[in-house]
Each structure stands twice: as structure tokens, then as C-alpha cells.
Amino acid sequence: GGYLETQSDVWLGNAGMTRGVANISGGLWVPKAQFEVAHGGSTVSWLNMSGGEIVMPVSGKNFIVANNGNGQFTTGTVSMTGGKITVTNGAAMNFGNASNGLGRCFLGGTGFIFTRDFKLGTVRAGRGECTVTGGLLRAENYIGVGSAAGASGALCVDGGEVSAKQFNIGDSTGGAGSFALSNGVVRTEGKFYVGVAGTGTGGSSGSGSAGL
């Protein structure tokens, strides 16, 4: 419960080869600057939410999972069975923002993510992965999978609902993205691109009681 407001950057796992963990089950956290899960080189960090809410209201302040702040090989994980993360006002959620880094998202239960842009694999040699088994993932602009040259991303939907104005799978020159839908609902208000840019590769598959 309660209310937490932070004015400077949040780094879960700052120094090299450390671990950072945040477990949230209630209350409201309002970060006024960037929020990073795994910041320092070779750190391994987690954000686990079963309730509560994180709201990032400041323009251009991103939520980053596995960043290249103090080195490479960072691993960050966001795991939600409940609670809500809101990142809008021109900002994004970036997974795999570190060279040789891995950013992961597991969304299930009643978890809710609302962001302007949702990107998996955002720098060269970075990897971003998201598995949705429940809850709601909503991007008011677009979802990019493999959204940088030399990056890779994967989005797997096996329940819940994922929606965006546009989907880009294999979003950048030299980027690779994959999309798999086996259950749940995926909605787009605009275009659904697979293999968007020159030398970008994208793959899409669907099975079961899937909706698109």
C-alpha cells in the first residue's frame, strides 16, 4: 500500500554483476525519471507484480528492461500476475536495450500494461521477449518486435489480449522478429507488418482458438 514518488532514475541492479529485485503487491509508485530493470553490466534483475500500480507521467522517460547503462550482458525480467504499469506521454517500454542483453516480459492473470510504444529488441545484439498468457497489453501507438538493426524479438500470445494501433514484426533493417498466437485475442487498429524493412526478417504463426 501507500504512495512512493521518485525524482531521479530508478536502477534495479546498478553495479556490475549485482542483482536487483522489486516485489510489488499494492500501492502506487510514480517515477518522475527513467525506470530500468537491470542497469549495470552483467546484472540480473526482476520486477515482480501481483498488484499495485506504476505510473510514469513524464514525457520521454522510458521504462527499460535490460539496459546498456554500465556495460553489456544485462538480463532484466518483468513478471506480472496482477497490477498495472502505465507508460505514456510520448514514452515507451523497451526490452533488450543492451548489447548482448536480454529483456523479458511475462504477463498473465489480471496484469495490465498500457504504454505508447512497446518494443522488443531495441539495440544491436539485444534480445527482447514477451509471453502473454492473460491480462491486457495495450500500446496506443505500435508494438515493434525486433525493432533495431541486429536485434531480435519474440512475442508469444497464449491468452489474454494484446492490442496496438500497428504491429511491426521484423521492424528494422537487419532486425529479426517472430510472432506466435495460440490463444487469446490480438487486435490492431491499423496495419500488421511482417518483415518491415530491407533485410529485416519477420515470422508469424497462429493456431488454436486464436483471434486477430
Side-chain angles (χ1 to χ4, degrees), residues 6-11 31-36 39 56 58 60-64 67 94 97:
T6 48
Q7 298 293 327
S8 300
D9 291 347
V10 175
W11 293 340
K32 294 295 186 69
Q34 196 154 279
F35 194 111
E36 298 181 21
H39 172 82
M56 298 180 64
V58 179
K61 299 300 182 180
N62 297 320
F63 189 110
I64 300 176
N67 199 24
N94 297 330
N97 201 58

Side-chain angles (χ1 to χ4, degrees), residues 82-111:
K84 181 178 181 180
I85 297 176
T86 302
V87 187
T88 55
N89 199 16
M93 292 188 75
N94 297 330
F95 292 80
N97 201 58
S99 178
N100 299 304
L102 172 61
R104 299 179 296 187
C105 175
F106 298 99
L107 179 63
T110 59

Side-chain angles (χ1 to χ4, degrees), residues 1-211:
Y3 175 84
L4 171 64
E5 181 177 303
T6 48
Q7 298 293 327
S8 300
D9 291 347
V10 175
W11 293 340
L12 300 181
N14 180 18
M17 301 183 70
T18 59
R19 295 192 176 196
V21 181
N23 297 313
I24 300 176
S25 58
L28 173 62
W29 189 346
V30 182
K32 294 295 186 69
Q34 196 154 279
F35 194 111
E36 298 181 21
V37 181
H39 172 82
S42 300
T43 59
V44 181
S45 298
W46 297 265
L47 171 65
N48 304 310
M49 293 187 70
S50 58
E53 187 172 0
I54 296 174
V55 175
M56 298 180 64
V58 179
S59 177
K61 299 300 182 180
N62 297 320
F63 189 110
I64 300 176
V65 182
N67 199 24
N68 213 18
N70 289 328
Q72 305 179 36
F73 299 100
T74 52
T75 301
T77 302
V78 172
S79 180
M80 299 179 65
T81 57
K84 181 178 181 180
I85 297 176
T86 302
V87 187
T88 55
N89 199 16
M93 292 188 75
N94 297 330
F95 292 80
N97 201 58
S99 178
N100 299 304
L102 172 61
R104 299 179 296 187
C105 175
F106 298 99
L107 179 63
T110 59
F112 178 41
I113 292 175
F114 179 42
T115 180
R116 174 175 169 79
D117 298 318
F118 188 89
K119 304 176 185 179
L120 301 171
T122 55
V123 299
R124 182 176 293 277
R127 291 181 295 148
E129 302 174 354
C130 184
T131 301
V132 181
T133 58
L136 173 63
L137 167 59
R138 166 67 176 162
E140 62 178 354
N141 188 29
Y142 83 97
I143 292 176
V145 183
S147 59
S152 62
L155 174 61
C156 177
V157 182
D158 190 22
E161 182 175 327
V162 178
S163 65
K165 184 175 292 185
Q166 182 169 304
F167 286 77
N168 296 339
I169 312 299
D171 192 12
S172 182
T173 299
S178 66
F179 170 79
L181 174 62
S182 56
N183 207 340
V185 177
V186 174
R187 304 181 190 276
T188 177
E189 301 169 11
K191 297 179 174 64
F192 191 97
Y193 288 116
V194 180
V196 182
T199 72
T201 58
S204 178
S205 64
S207 64
S209 56

